[in-house]
Amino acid sequence: VQLQASGGGLVQPGGSLRLSCAASGSFFKVNMRGWYRQAPGKERELVAFMDTGGNTNYAGSVKGRFTISRDNAEKTLYLQMNGLKPEDTAVYYCNALITTVTSTEAYWGQGTLVTVSS
């Protein structure tokens, strides 16, 4: 089972990026549910979360600028980031709850680096 995150990069302040996270491997069920980030010297924090009913929750610092979405058929989670600020610079990780033949566990993607700088 693997979560592959992509879409990070260098962007100027005010710019946009779209992150993607795709699940692959052998499993019965996947719940693609959230994006987290970790800036240098800081703890990992929640950015955006979507429950099984599609209800969303955002960190206050990104509300109104970021949008989480998912394609259940494609087992892919997205994070549209607009109006990026230097303080959004971090490694972004996706998170999913995956059920395999042996267990149900939370999995993390490998992280994708977002750098906001002029």
Side-chain angles (χ1 to χ4, degrees), residues 68-88:
I68 187 172
S69 62
R70 67 184 171 214
D71 184 329
N72 289 327
E74 295 297 326
K75 304 177 183 63
T76 302
L77 188 69
Y78 302 100
L79 185 68
Q80 178 66 44
M81 305 186 294
N82 299 327
L84 282 161
K85 304 176 181 180
E87 52 263 43
D88 294 319

Side-chain angles (χ1 to χ4, degrees), residues 25-96:
S26 180
F27 47 81
F28 294 113
K29 183 179 178 181
V30 58
N31 176 17
M32 306 294 290
R33 58 185 188 175
W35 288 96
Y36 295 72
R37 68 186 180 188
Q38 187 167 17
K42 295 187 177 181
E43 294 186 353
R44 189 174 298 189
E45 63 174 357
L46 174 69
V47 175
F49 187 89
M50 179 180 282
D51 67 19
T52 53
N55 300 303
T56 58
N57 184 39
Y58 296 92
S61 60
V62 308
K63 197 171 293 184
R65 300 188 295 123
F66 291 10
T67 302
I68 187 172
S69 62
R70 67 184 171 214
D71 184 329
N72 289 327
E74 295 297 326
K75 304 177 183 63
T76 302
L77 188 69
Y78 302 100
L79 185 68
Q80 178 66 44
M81 305 186 294
N82 299 327
L84 282 161
K85 304 176 181 180
E87 52 263 43
D88 294 319
T89 295
V91 178
Y92 284 70
Y93 299 89
C94 55
N95 177 269

Side-chain angles (χ1 to χ4, degrees), residues 97-114:
L97 198 63
I98 296 178
T99 300
T100 66
V101 66
T102 57
S103 66
T104 297
E105 297 180 25
Y107 285 78
W108 293 92
Q110 86 285 6
T112 184
L113 177 62
V114 173

